[in-house]
Amino acid sequence: MTEATMNPFANPEQRFSKLSMFELDSLYEAVMLARRTLTGIVNQPRFFEGKDYNGAGDEVEGLIDALIEFAGAAVNAAKTAAPADPDAVAARAWLLLKDSVDCSESLSAHAAEAAGYAAQLAMLKQLKQEK
């Protein structure tokens, strides 16, 4: 492990801007799986004192919060990217939609967002065919 990667949570934006949409999507999926796994673990009785987390529970909850921010950095990198390849545009759309679904509860908002991404992708594919 190099000094630059000793703390993967330190300044991920610079590293993430160099990743492809497919890599950002894979990273997001891995981080969210780790977050969901830790969420299941921290809900075990051994992490509680009464209704509140004990010290270990607080630490695991802090790690979950760090993972959420880390995944958010991957999403932000995808938002600022401008892929031109239709496959990369589709990967970006899926990543942004997955994050949107993870962060809210409105089905109609997700349907509209997905329709917008699908329209963008269809237009890009049509433009590529016309060239």
mmCIF file of all heavy atoms in Angstrom, residues 20-26 28 74-100 113 116-118 120-121 124:
data_model
loop_
_atom_site.group_PDB
_atom_site.id
_atom_site.type_symbol
_atom_site.label_atom_id
_atom_site.label_comp_id
_atom_site.label_asym_id
_atom_site.label_seq_id
_atom_site.Cartn_x
_atom_site.Cartn_y
_atom_site.Cartn_z
ATOM 1 N N SER A 20 -13.102 5.357 -14.848
ATOM 2 C CA SER A 20 -14.139 5.285 -15.884
ATOM 3 C C SER A 20 -15.507 5.176 -15.216
ATOM 4 O O SER A 20 -15.604 4.911 -14.015
ATOM 5 C CB SER A 20 -13.898 4.063 -16.776
ATOM 6 O OG SER A 20 -14.192 2.875 -16.059
ATOM 7 N N MET A 21 -16.554 5.354 -15.985
ATOM 8 C CA MET A 21 -17.909 5.204 -15.448
ATOM 9 C C MET A 21 -18.130 3.789 -14.925
ATOM 10 O O MET A 21 -18.775 3.594 -13.898
ATOM 11 C CB MET A 21 -18.953 5.511 -16.514
ATOM 12 C CG MET A 21 -19.142 6.965 -16.805
ATOM 13 S SD MET A 21 -19.620 7.905 -15.340
ATOM 14 C CE MET A 21 -18.260 9.035 -15.277
ATOM 15 N N PHE A 22 -17.563 2.819 -15.614
ATOM 16 C CA PHE A 22 -17.720 1.429 -15.191
ATOM 17 C C PHE A 22 -17.006 1.197 -13.864
ATOM 18 O O PHE A 22 -17.512 0.492 -12.986
ATOM 19 C CB PHE A 22 -17.205 0.475 -16.271
ATOM 20 C CG PHE A 22 -17.884 0.685 -17.584
ATOM 21 C CD1 PHE A 22 -17.247 1.368 -18.605
ATOM 22 C CD2 PHE A 22 -19.185 0.245 -17.798
ATOM 23 C CE1 PHE A 22 -17.880 1.593 -19.822
ATOM 24 C CE2 PHE A 22 -19.827 0.463 -19.002
ATOM 25 C CZ PHE A 22 -19.180 1.135 -20.014
ATOM 26 N N GLU A 23 -15.832 1.815 -13.704
ATOM 27 C CA GLU A 23 -15.095 1.688 -12.456
ATOM 28 C C GLU A 23 -15.813 2.405 -11.324
ATOM 29 O O GLU A 23 -15.892 1.891 -10.199
ATOM 30 C CB GLU A 23 -13.678 2.237 -12.613
ATOM 31 C CG GLU A 23 -12.804 1.389 -13.523
ATOM 32 C CD GLU A 23 -11.498 2.053 -13.885
ATOM 33 O OE1 GLU A 23 -11.449 3.297 -14.025
ATOM 34 O OE2 GLU A 23 -10.509 1.307 -14.042
ATOM 35 N N LEU A 24 -16.361 3.587 -11.600
ATOM 36 C CA LEU A 24 -17.125 4.308 -10.576
ATOM 37 C C LEU A 24 -18.345 3.509 -10.141
ATOM 38 O O LEU A 24 -18.665 3.437 -8.949
ATOM 39 C CB LEU A 24 -17.557 5.683 -11.097
ATOM 40 C CG LEU A 24 -16.467 6.742 -11.192
ATOM 41 C CD1 LEU A 24 -16.982 7.968 -11.947
ATOM 42 C CD2 LEU A 24 -15.958 7.122 -9.813
ATOM 43 N N ASP A 25 -19.017 2.889 -11.101
ATOM 44 C CA ASP A 25 -20.186 2.072 -10.772
ATOM 45 C C ASP A 25 -19.784 0.871 -9.919
ATOM 46 O O ASP A 25 -20.446 0.559 -8.930
ATOM 47 C CB ASP A 25 -20.891 1.616 -12.049
ATOM 48 C CG ASP A 25 -22.165 0.853 -11.752
ATOM 49 O OD1 ASP A 25 -23.032 1.389 -11.026
ATOM 50 O OD2 ASP A 25 -22.290 -0.292 -12.226
ATOM 51 N N SER A 26 -18.697 0.213 -10.278
ATOM 52 C CA SER A 26 -18.226 -0.938 -9.499
ATOM 53 C C SER A 26 -17.832 -0.516 -8.088
ATOM 54 O O SER A 26 -18.147 -1.206 -7.107
ATOM 55 C CB SER A 26 -17.028 -1.598 -10.189
ATOM 56 O OG SER A 26 -17.409 -2.144 -11.419
ATOM 57 N N TYR A 28 -18.949 2.123 -6.440
ATOM 58 C CA TYR A 28 -20.182 2.467 -5.725
ATOM 59 C C TYR A 28 -20.872 1.204 -5.206
ATOM 60 O O TYR A 28 -21.280 1.141 -4.040
ATOM 61 C CB TYR A 28 -21.120 3.250 -6.642
ATOM 62 C CG TYR A 28 -22.426 3.637 -5.994
ATOM 63 C CD1 TYR A 28 -22.521 4.781 -5.228
ATOM 64 C CD2 TYR A 28 -23.560 2.843 -6.139
ATOM 65 C CE1 TYR A 28 -23.709 5.144 -4.625
ATOM 66 C CE2 TYR A 28 -24.755 3.200 -5.541
ATOM 67 C CZ TYR A 28 -24.822 4.340 -4.784
ATOM 68 O OH TYR A 28 -26.007 4.689 -4.168
ATOM 69 N N ALA A 74 -17.965 9.123 -5.213
ATOM 70 C CA ALA A 74 -18.027 8.427 -6.504
ATOM 71 C C ALA A 74 -19.176 8.969 -7.346
ATOM 72 O O ALA A 74 -19.033 9.181 -8.556
ATOM 73 C CB ALA A 74 -18.176 6.921 -6.292
ATOM 74 N N VAL A 75 -20.301 9.220 -6.714
ATOM 75 C CA VAL A 75 -21.459 9.779 -7.422
ATOM 76 C C VAL A 75 -21.144 11.188 -7.931
ATOM 77 O O VAL A 75 -21.453 11.527 -9.076
ATOM 78 C CB VAL A 75 -22.708 9.782 -6.509
ATOM 79 C CG1 VAL A 75 -23.853 10.568 -7.138
ATOM 80 C CG2 VAL A 75 -23.132 8.360 -6.195
ATOM 81 N N ASN A 76 -20.501 11.987 -7.090
ATOM 82 C CA ASN A 76 -20.139 13.344 -7.512
ATOM 83 C C ASN A 76 -19.179 13.323 -8.697
ATOM 84 O O ASN A 76 -19.286 14.157 -9.604
ATOM 85 C CB ASN A 76 -19.550 14.130 -6.347
ATOM 86 C CG ASN A 76 -20.596 14.485 -5.312
ATOM 87 O OD1 ASN A 76 -21.791 14.513 -5.601
ATOM 88 N ND2 ASN A 76 -20.158 14.737 -4.101
ATOM 89 N N ALA A 77 -18.248 12.376 -8.692
ATOM 90 C CA ALA A 77 -17.329 12.250 -9.833
ATOM 91 C C ALA A 77 -18.103 11.903 -11.099
ATOM 92 O O ALA A 77 -17.811 12.426 -12.177
ATOM 93 C CB ALA A 77 -16.268 11.194 -9.538
ATOM 94 N N ALA A 78 -19.097 11.038 -10.967
ATOM 95 C CA ALA A 78 -19.913 10.682 -12.130
ATOM 96 C C ALA A 78 -20.737 11.865 -12.609
ATOM 97 O O ALA A 78 -20.906 12.071 -13.813
ATOM 98 C CB ALA A 78 -20.826 9.503 -11.794
ATOM 99 N N LYS A 79 -21.235 12.666 -11.679
ATOM 100 C CA LYS A 79 -22.043 13.829 -12.049
ATOM 101 C C LYS A 79 -21.229 14.849 -12.833
ATOM 102 O O LYS A 79 -21.752 15.497 -13.735
ATOM 103 C CB LYS A 79 -22.623 14.504 -10.800
ATOM 104 C CG LYS A 79 -23.773 13.768 -10.180
ATOM 105 C CD LYS A 79 -24.263 14.491 -8.939
ATOM 106 C CE LYS A 79 -25.417 13.752 -8.279
ATOM 107 N NZ LYS A 79 -25.849 14.425 -7.034
ATOM 108 N N THR A 80 -19.972 15.010 -12.485
ATOM 109 C CA THR A 80 -19.155 16.028 -13.149
ATOM 110 C C THR A 80 -18.518 15.517 -14.438
ATOM 111 O O THR A 80 -18.021 16.322 -15.221
ATOM 112 C CB THR A 80 -18.046 16.558 -12.215
ATOM 113 O OG1 THR A 80 -17.196 15.476 -11.829
ATOM 114 C CG2 THR A 80 -18.646 17.210 -10.982
ATOM 115 N N ALA A 81 -18.538 14.216 -14.650
ATOM 116 C CA ALA A 81 -17.964 13.648 -15.865
ATOM 117 C C ALA A 81 -18.910 13.882 -17.045
ATOM 118 O O ALA A 81 -20.109 14.075 -16.866
ATOM 119 C CB ALA A 81 -17.715 12.156 -15.678
ATOM 120 N N ALA A 82 -18.349 13.837 -18.226
ATOM 121 C CA ALA A 82 -19.141 14.018 -19.447
ATOM 122 C C ALA A 82 -18.785 12.919 -20.441
ATOM 123 O O ALA A 82 -18.141 13.185 -21.448
ATOM 124 C CB ALA A 82 -18.900 15.391 -20.034
ATOM 125 N N PRO A 83 -19.211 11.692 -20.167
ATOM 126 C CA PRO A 83 -18.869 10.612 -21.090
ATOM 127 C C PRO A 83 -19.582 10.786 -22.424
ATOM 128 O O PRO A 83 -20.708 11.274 -22.474
ATOM 129 C CB PRO A 83 -19.352 9.358 -20.368
ATOM 130 C CG PRO A 83 -20.429 9.829 -19.449
ATOM 131 C CD PRO A 83 -20.044 11.228 -19.062
ATOM 132 N N ALA A 84 -18.910 10.386 -23.500
ATOM 133 C CA ALA A 84 -19.495 10.498 -24.833
ATOM 134 C C ALA A 84 -19.883 9.139 -25.398
ATOM 135 O O ALA A 84 -20.755 9.048 -26.253
ATOM 136 C CB ALA A 84 -18.521 11.191 -25.776
ATOM 137 N N ASP A 85 -19.260 8.096 -24.914
ATOM 138 C CA ASP A 85 -19.548 6.736 -25.368
ATOM 139 C C ASP A 85 -20.912 6.307 -24.816
ATOM 140 O O ASP A 85 -21.174 6.476 -23.622
ATOM 141 C CB ASP A 85 -18.437 5.798 -24.868
ATOM 142 C CG ASP A 85 -18.736 4.362 -25.177
ATOM 143 O OD1 ASP A 85 -18.653 3.973 -26.351
ATOM 144 O OD2 ASP A 85 -19.066 3.618 -24.221
ATOM 145 N N PRO A 86 -21.797 5.766 -25.650
ATOM 146 C CA PRO A 86 -23.128 5.366 -25.167
ATOM 147 C C PRO A 86 -23.089 4.389 -23.988
ATOM 148 O O PRO A 86 -23.909 4.501 -23.068
ATOM 149 C CB PRO A 86 -23.783 4.726 -26.393
ATOM 150 C CG PRO A 86 -23.118 5.380 -27.553
ATOM 151 C CD PRO A 86 -21.692 5.603 -27.114
ATOM 152 N N ASP A 87 -22.145 3.460 -23.996
ATOM 153 C CA ASP A 87 -22.066 2.513 -22.869
ATOM 154 C C ASP A 87 -21.682 3.226 -21.583
ATOM 155 O O ASP A 87 -22.201 2.917 -20.508
ATOM 156 C CB ASP A 87 -21.065 1.397 -23.176
ATOM 157 C CG ASP A 87 -21.552 0.459 -24.268
ATOM 158 O OD1 ASP A 87 -22.782 0.376 -24.490
ATOM 159 O OD2 ASP A 87 -20.697 -0.193 -24.899
ATOM 160 N N ALA A 88 -20.769 4.191 -21.674
ATOM 161 C CA ALA A 88 -20.368 4.951 -20.493
ATOM 162 C C ALA A 88 -21.505 5.858 -20.026
ATOM 163 O O ALA A 88 -21.708 6.035 -18.822
ATOM 164 C CB ALA A 88 -19.112 5.766 -20.787
ATOM 165 N N VAL A 89 -22.257 6.417 -20.969
ATOM 166 C CA VAL A 89 -23.420 7.239 -20.611
ATOM 167 C C VAL A 89 -24.444 6.383 -19.881
ATOM 168 O O VAL A 89 -25.022 6.807 -18.872
ATOM 169 C CB VAL A 89 -24.037 7.904 -21.864
ATOM 170 C CG1 VAL A 89 -25.372 8.562 -21.537
ATOM 171 C CG2 VAL A 89 -23.069 8.922 -22.445
ATOM 172 N N ALA A 90 -24.669 5.166 -20.356
ATOM 173 C CA ALA A 90 -25.610 4.257 -19.693
ATOM 174 C C ALA A 90 -25.107 3.881 -18.299
ATOM 175 O O ALA A 90 -25.888 3.860 -17.335
ATOM 176 C CB ALA A 90 -25.819 3.003 -20.535
ATOM 177 N N ALA A 91 -23.813 3.599 -18.169
ATOM 178 C CA ALA A 91 -23.246 3.256 -16.856
ATOM 179 C C ALA A 91 -23.403 4.434 -15.898
ATOM 180 O O ALA A 91 -23.734 4.253 -14.716
ATOM 181 C CB ALA A 91 -21.779 2.863 -16.991
ATOM 182 N N ARG A 92 -23.173 5.643 -16.388
ATOM 183 C CA ARG A 92 -23.342 6.846 -15.563
ATOM 184 C C ARG A 92 -24.792 6.988 -15.115
ATOM 185 O O ARG A 92 -25.083 7.260 -13.954
ATOM 186 C CB ARG A 92 -22.906 8.079 -16.355
ATOM 187 C CG ARG A 92 -23.058 9.388 -15.613
ATOM 188 C CD ARG A 92 -22.600 10.550 -16.515
ATOM 189 N NE ARG A 92 -22.679 11.808 -15.826
ATOM 190 C CZ ARG A 92 -23.746 12.619 -15.860
ATOM 191 N NH1 ARG A 92 -24.819 12.276 -16.567
ATOM 192 N NH2 ARG A 92 -23.739 13.752 -15.207
ATOM 193 N N ALA A 93 -25.718 6.797 -16.053
ATOM 194 C CA ALA A 93 -27.139 6.912 -15.723
ATOM 195 C C ALA A 93 -27.539 5.898 -14.660
ATOM 196 O O ALA A 93 -28.257 6.226 -13.714
ATOM 197 C CB ALA A 93 -27.982 6.727 -16.981
ATOM 198 N N TRP A 94 -27.079 4.653 -14.811
ATOM 199 C CA TRP A 94 -27.402 3.626 -13.816
ATOM 200 C C TRP A 94 -26.844 3.992 -12.448
ATOM 201 O O TRP A 94 -27.526 3.833 -11.428
ATOM 202 C CB TRP A 94 -26.872 2.259 -14.247
ATOM 203 C CG TRP A 94 -27.770 1.545 -15.194
ATOM 204 C CD1 TRP A 94 -27.537 1.272 -16.504
ATOM 205 C CD2 TRP A 94 -29.067 1.007 -14.908
ATOM 206 N NE1 TRP A 94 -28.609 0.610 -17.051
ATOM 207 C CE2 TRP A 94 -29.567 0.435 -16.085
ATOM 208 C CE3 TRP A 94 -29.860 0.979 -13.764
ATOM 209 C CZ2 TRP A 94 -30.814 -0.176 -16.156
ATOM 210 C CZ3 TRP A 94 -31.114 0.371 -13.835
ATOM 211 C CH2 TRP A 94 -31.563 -0.197 -15.020
ATOM 212 N N LEU A 95 -25.619 4.473 -12.409
ATOM 213 C CA LEU A 95 -25.008 4.850 -11.136
ATOM 214 C C LEU A 95 -25.798 5.973 -10.469
ATOM 215 O O LEU A 95 -26.139 5.891 -9.283
ATOM 216 C CB LEU A 95 -23.546 5.276 -11.350
ATOM 217 C CG LEU A 95 -22.830 5.913 -10.161
ATOM 218 C CD1 LEU A 95 -22.851 5.006 -8.944
ATOM 219 C CD2 LEU A 95 -21.409 6.267 -10.532
ATOM 220 N N LEU A 96 -26.114 7.011 -11.229
ATOM 221 C CA LEU A 96 -26.853 8.135 -10.657
ATOM 222 C C LEU A 96 -28.251 7.727 -10.217
ATOM 223 O O LEU A 96 -28.748 8.183 -9.174
ATOM 224 C CB LEU A 96 -26.910 9.292 -11.656
ATOM 225 C CG LEU A 96 -25.555 9.900 -12.035
ATOM 226 C CD1 LEU A 96 -25.737 11.006 -13.066
ATOM 227 C CD2 LEU A 96 -24.815 10.404 -10.818
ATOM 228 N N LEU A 97 -28.879 6.853 -10.985
ATOM 229 C CA LEU A 97 -30.211 6.388 -10.614
ATOM 230 C C LEU A 97 -30.164 5.520 -9.361
ATOM 231 O O LEU A 97 -31.001 5.661 -8.462
ATOM 232 C CB LEU A 97 -30.857 5.638 -11.774
ATOM 233 C CG LEU A 97 -32.321 5.267 -11.596
ATOM 234 C CD1 LEU A 97 -33.184 6.502 -11.380
ATOM 235 C CD2 LEU A 97 -32.815 4.492 -12.807
ATOM 236 N N LYS A 98 -29.172 4.631 -9.269
ATOM 237 C CA LYS A 98 -29.029 3.796 -8.066
ATOM 238 C C LYS A 98 -28.842 4.664 -6.831
ATOM 239 O O LYS A 98 -29.455 4.407 -5.790
ATOM 240 C CB LYS A 98 -27.843 2.832 -8.195
ATOM 241 C CG LYS A 98 -28.117 1.649 -9.080
ATOM 242 C CD LYS A 98 -26.965 0.679 -9.031
ATOM 243 C CE LYS A 98 -25.979 0.999 -10.109
ATOM 244 N NZ LYS A 98 -24.954 -0.035 -10.308
ATOM 245 N N ASP A 99 -28.013 5.682 -6.951
ATOM 246 C CA ASP A 99 -27.800 6.570 -5.810
ATOM 247 C C ASP A 99 -29.080 7.301 -5.448
ATOM 248 O O ASP A 99 -29.415 7.430 -4.275
ATOM 249 C CB ASP A 99 -26.687 7.571 -6.115
ATOM 250 C CG ASP A 99 -26.448 8.499 -4.949
ATOM 251 O OD1 ASP A 99 -26.043 8.017 -3.868
ATOM 252 O OD2 ASP A 99 -26.679 9.718 -5.100
ATOM 253 N N SER A 100 -29.799 7.755 -6.448
ATOM 254 C CA SER A 100 -31.055 8.452 -6.201
ATOM 255 C C SER A 100 -32.047 7.552 -5.475
ATOM 256 O O SER A 100 -32.709 7.967 -4.525
ATOM 257 C CB SER A 100 -31.638 8.942 -7.527
ATOM 258 O OG SER A 100 -32.847 9.612 -7.331
ATOM 259 N N GLU A 113 -36.724 10.465 -13.464
ATOM 260 C CA GLU A 113 -35.271 10.520 -13.623
ATOM 261 C C GLU A 113 -34.798 9.449 -14.608
ATOM 262 O O GLU A 113 -33.994 9.724 -15.503
ATOM 263 C CB GLU A 113 -34.598 10.330 -12.260
ATOM 264 C CG GLU A 113 -33.111 10.509 -12.280
ATOM 265 C CD GLU A 113 -32.489 10.395 -10.894
ATOM 266 O OE1 GLU A 113 -33.204 10.091 -9.914
ATOM 267 O OE2 GLU A 113 -31.274 10.595 -10.807
ATOM 268 N N GLY A 116 -35.643 10.367 -18.142
ATOM 269 C CA GLY A 116 -34.734 11.391 -18.650
ATOM 270 C C GLY A 116 -33.409 10.795 -19.095
ATOM 271 O O GLY A 116 -32.884 11.144 -20.160
ATOM 272 N N TYR A 117 -32.858 9.882 -18.284
ATOM 273 C CA TYR A 117 -31.601 9.222 -18.661
ATOM 274 C C TYR A 117 -31.783 8.383 -19.926
ATOM 275 O O TYR A 117 -30.915 8.375 -20.802
ATOM 276 C CB TYR A 117 -31.081 8.336 -17.532
ATOM 277 C CG TYR A 117 -30.597 9.092 -16.312
ATOM 278 C CD1 TYR A 117 -30.861 8.618 -15.035
ATOM 279 C CD2 TYR A 117 -29.861 10.269 -16.429
ATOM 280 C CE1 TYR A 117 -30.407 9.292 -13.918
ATOM 281 C CE2 TYR A 117 -29.416 10.946 -15.311
ATOM 282 C CZ TYR A 117 -29.690 10.453 -14.050
ATOM 283 O OH TYR A 117 -29.247 11.116 -12.945
ATOM 284 N N ALA A 118 -32.904 7.687 -20.015
ATOM 285 C CA ALA A 118 -33.165 6.855 -21.193
ATOM 286 C C ALA A 118 -33.276 7.724 -22.450
ATOM 287 O O ALA A 118 -32.758 7.356 -23.508
ATOM 288 C CB ALA A 118 -34.436 6.026 -20.994
ATOM 289 N N GLN A 120 -31.830 10.673 -22.925
ATOM 290 C CA GLN A 120 -30.480 11.155 -23.250
ATOM 291 C C GLN A 120 -29.683 10.084 -23.977
ATOM 292 O O GLN A 120 -28.999 10.359 -24.965
ATOM 293 C CB GLN A 120 -29.740 11.556 -21.978
ATOM 294 C CG GLN A 120 -30.232 12.810 -21.332
ATOM 295 C CD GLN A 120 -29.552 13.056 -19.990
ATOM 296 O OE1 GLN A 120 -28.680 12.304 -19.564
ATOM 297 N NE2 GLN A 120 -29.965 14.118 -19.319
ATOM 298 N N LEU A 121 -29.769 8.865 -23.480
ATOM 299 C CA LEU A 121 -29.024 7.763 -24.086
ATOM 300 C C LEU A 121 -29.535 7.476 -25.499
ATOM 301 O O LEU A 121 -28.746 7.276 -26.424
ATOM 302 C CB LEU A 121 -29.117 6.510 -23.217
ATOM 303 C CG LEU A 121 -28.325 5.313 -23.679
ATOM 304 C CD1 LEU A 121 -26.844 5.646 -23.796
ATOM 305 C CD2 LEU A 121 -28.527 4.146 -22.725
ATOM 306 N N LEU A 124 -28.208 10.150 -27.819
ATOM 307 C CA LEU A 124 -26.785 9.958 -28.100
ATOM 308 C C LEU A 124 -26.565 8.820 -29.088
ATOM 309 O O LEU A 124 -25.776 8.947 -30.030
ATOM 310 C CB LEU A 124 -26.022 9.684 -26.803
ATOM 311 C CG LEU A 124 -24.530 9.452 -26.958
ATOM 312 C CD1 LEU A 124 -23.837 10.682 -27.521
ATOM 313 C CD2 LEU A 124 -23.914 9.050 -25.642
#
